[in-house]
Amino acid sequence: MLPLTAKIAQDSKQNMAKAKIVVVGAGLIGLSTAVYISDSITNCTVSVIADRFSPNTTSDVAAGMLIPHLYPGTPVDQQKQWFRETFDHLLSICNSSEASEAGIHLVSGWQIFKDIPEEKTPFWCDVVLAFRSMTEKELKRFPQHKYGQAFTTLKCDCPSYLIWLEKRLKENGGQVHARKIEDLWELHHDFDIIVNCSGIGSRKLTGDLELYPTRGQVLKVDAPWIKHFIRDGDGLTYIYPGIHNVTLGGIREKDNWNLSPDPIISKNIFDRCSTLEPSLRTAENIKVRVGLRPSRSAVRIHKEVLTHKHERLLVVHNYGHGGGGFSIHQGTAKEATQLVKECLETLAIPGYKAKL
Ligand SMILES: Cc1cc2nc3c(=O)[nH]c(=O)nc-3n(C[C@H](O)[C@H](O)[C@H](O)COP(=O)(O)OP(=O)(O)OC[C@H]3O[C@@H](n4cnc5c(N)ncnc54)[C@H](O)[C@@H]3O)c2cc1C
Ligand SMILES: O=C(O)CCC(=O)C(=O)O
């Protein structure tokens, strides 16, 4: 065994030959991207830097349902591929002994419509399991709704999943640091590649004015008898049973930065959900959570070379997942990792190779 001083010298010599990658952001997108990079690229170090960690990120507030949100600026084929990659990845975790620690489970239920939708089969219908139109007998339970879809999808218990991702990153040798970044150039001397997964923080960090907050508010309640999800097709009212509680939603307020819970909205959510599922009136232990969805017409996954005088800064952006981050995060992590590999080729670090 080497003495400690020799070991430190050996580690730092080894690290000198490694590309240093830093991911800014410890929400769902930062952690899943950091894990994907550390799983698929050898000869690099991966650090995550963020000013907020679980349970204090937007990702912790989410319901964590795998149900796609539409990005008008991203081709639908691309969105479907991201959704399929994410669904298949989480399904394999769900079918493994990791499922409980990662907080992932299957959930069946109904999406119901007051008016018959133009498209009865959404683009994602063959990705989820057992998609079909609801029968008349099933619809009788929802007298205000004319049409419905039944299917089985996946749900994450968001804090558990984030903690599991962080643990996986650390098992791969990754490091995590708490710090607020005011300017990406702060990271220039310590890292070769910056992966920007700062969610709504990207508006300030990159000056991207196409990114805006869509404020969300949900209730997390105890109602353990609720076993099926119910989602109104308008995307506003939903009841999502999870491992520890049931998430009741919701609201989508464009350009609202207010993180304080609004009691009037809470009452309105509770009333809407109880109209769909009257037994919720006896739900207990009601907690309110607020989060800002990082909204954009298209998710921004993009490689950029920033320049300042004679210096270059390699940045890969991965942000703007709006109300659908859980549904597509594995697909976008894969795509961002591909851009990191392209950056590494230009760095010509000796010994760098992608894991096969
Ligand atoms: C109420 C609600 C319900 C939702 N339900 C679902 C759902 O059921 N299904 C679904 O698919 N999606 C859902 N979403 C959307 C989902 O939550 C988001 O798409 C996702 O969480 C975005 O993840 P993120 O990592 O980009 O952002 P965040 O979770 O906000 O993480 C951003 C990270 O960047 C860090 N950061 C930012 N700026 C800086 C800086 N300057 N310096 C250092 N660190 C910085 C933050 O500290 C944080 O760690 C929901 C969202 C809300 C609000
Ligand atoms: O849209 C849904 O049904 C899931 C919840 C969500 O994604 C949201 O409120 O943003």
Side-chain angles (χ1 to χ4, degrees):
M1 207 164 107
L2 282 175
L4 188 61
T5 44
K7 167 117 183 51
I8 291 169
Q10 189 191 48
D11 282 355
S12 78
K13 205 167 158 197
Q14 280 167 352
N15 281 344
M16 264 163 53
K18 290 183 175 181
K20 292 186 221 97
I21 300 171
V22 62
V23 176
V24 179
L28 170 71
I29 303 306
L31 291 175
S32 58
T33 305
V35 169
Y36 207 108
I37 292 169
S38 64
D39 273 345
S40 52
I41 302 177
T42 53
N43 236 28
C44 71
T45 63
V46 182
S47 305
V48 168
I49 295 183
D51 61 347
R52 281 171 182 264
F53 290 83
S54 183
N56 298 314
T57 69
T58 304
S59 304
D60 288 280
V61 174
M65 284 289 285
L66 268 72
I67 181 154
H69 157 99
L70 258 186
Y71 305 93
T74 303
V76 170
D77 285 355
Q78 176 71 89
Q79 298 184 46
K80 181 166 179 176
Q81 188 185 327
W82 290 339
F83 181 53
R84 190 186 292 283
E85 285 165 355
T86 306
F87 194 94
D88 292 350
H89 173 68
L90 291 191
L91 186 59
S92 70
I93 298 172
C94 183
N95 290 336
S96 78
S97 58
E98 295 285 295
S100 163
E101 194 183 341
I104 296 167
H105 61 99
L106 285 163
V107 60
S108 301
W110 307 282
Q111 169 156 246
I112 49 178
F113 296 83
K114 293 198 183 79
D115 297 305
I116 297 179
E118 270 174 34
E119 259 193 13
K120 284 190 175 173
T121 48
F123 72 84
W124 43 266
C125 65
D126 59 343
V127 178
V128 297
L129 307 178
F131 182 95
R132 61 176 172 80
S133 293
M134 283 168 71
T135 63
E136 278 191 21
K137 190 171 176 186
E138 285 171 308
L139 268 170
K140 272 200 180 132
R141 188 171 163 189
F142 307 107
Q144 294 178 342
H145 294 76
K146 291 196 184 116
Y147 174 75
Q149 300 156 341
F151 54 94
T152 299
T153 188
L154 289 152
K155 183 177 176 321
C156 303
D157 179 68
C158 303
S160 304
Y161 187 53
L162 295 176
I163 287 163
W164 182 79
L165 284 173
E166 190 177 322
K167 183 177 152 199
R168 285 208 47 210
L169 175 69
K170 288 180 176 163
E171 283 166 359
N172 284 354
Q175 295 194 359
V176 168
H177 306 279
R179 173 174 152 197
K180 185 172 171 80
I181 304 298
E182 301 294 343
D183 186 327
L184 293 178
W185 280 96
E186 285 168 31
L187 302 164
H188 176 54
H189 290 296
D190 294 326
F191 298 99
D192 299 303
I193 299 170
I194 296 159
V195 186
N196 171 32
C197 303
S198 57
I200 195 63
S202 291
R203 187 171 156 110
K204 192 152 175 247
L205 266 185
T206 71
D208 179 355
L209 299 182
E210 288 181 43
L211 182 70
Y212 58 89
T214 304
R215 182 181 178 282
Q217 181 165 323
V218 287
L219 310 180
K220 307 263 178 185
V221 308
D222 287 353
W225 60 91
I226 305 283
K227 301 292 183 203
H228 289 83
F229 73 82
I230 305 171
R231 180 185 203 263
D232 193 303
D234 66 12
L236 274 189
T237 305
Y238 48 76
I239 300 166
Y240 290 140
I243 297 173
H244 302 296
N245 50 38
V246 182
T247 305
L248 310 182
I251 187 98
R252 295 173 201 266
E253 295 182 292
K254 193 176 174 203
D255 284 326
N256 187 342
W257 291 88
N258 188 354
L259 279 167
S260 304
D262 179 332
I264 295 174
I265 292 176
S266 292
K267 182 178 180 315
N268 185 270
I269 291 171
F270 192 75
D271 287 346
R272 278 188 273 130
C273 290
S274 303
T275 303
L276 283 183
E277 175 52 66
S279 71
L280 279 170
R281 290 263 169 225
T282 57
E284 289 180 351
N285 196 15
I286 301 171
K287 297 197 179 85
V288 190
R289 298 294 311 264
V290 175
L292 305 179
R293 303 174 182 91
S295 298
R296 227 176 161 273
S297 80
V299 181
R300 186 168 185 226
I301 307 182
H302 180 70
K303 191 172 61 171
E304 186 174 28
V305 183
L306 301 177
T307 52
H308 177 65
K309 296 190 179 154
H310 299 295
E311 312 231 72
R312 280 166 19 113
L313 187 62
L314 293 177
V315 183
V316 172
H317 299 285
N318 183 12
Y319 66 83
H321 295 67
F326 278 85
S327 310
I328 57 170
H329 68 277
Q330 186 69 6
T332 56
K334 180 179 171 193
E335 195 163 325
T337 300
Q338 185 53 39
L339 297 183
V340 171
K341 288 179 186 169
E342 287 174 26
C343 290
L344 282 167
E345 302 290 349
T346 67
L347 282 174
I349 300 245
Y352 152 67
K353 63 179 190 328
K355 285 182 193 168
L356 295 177

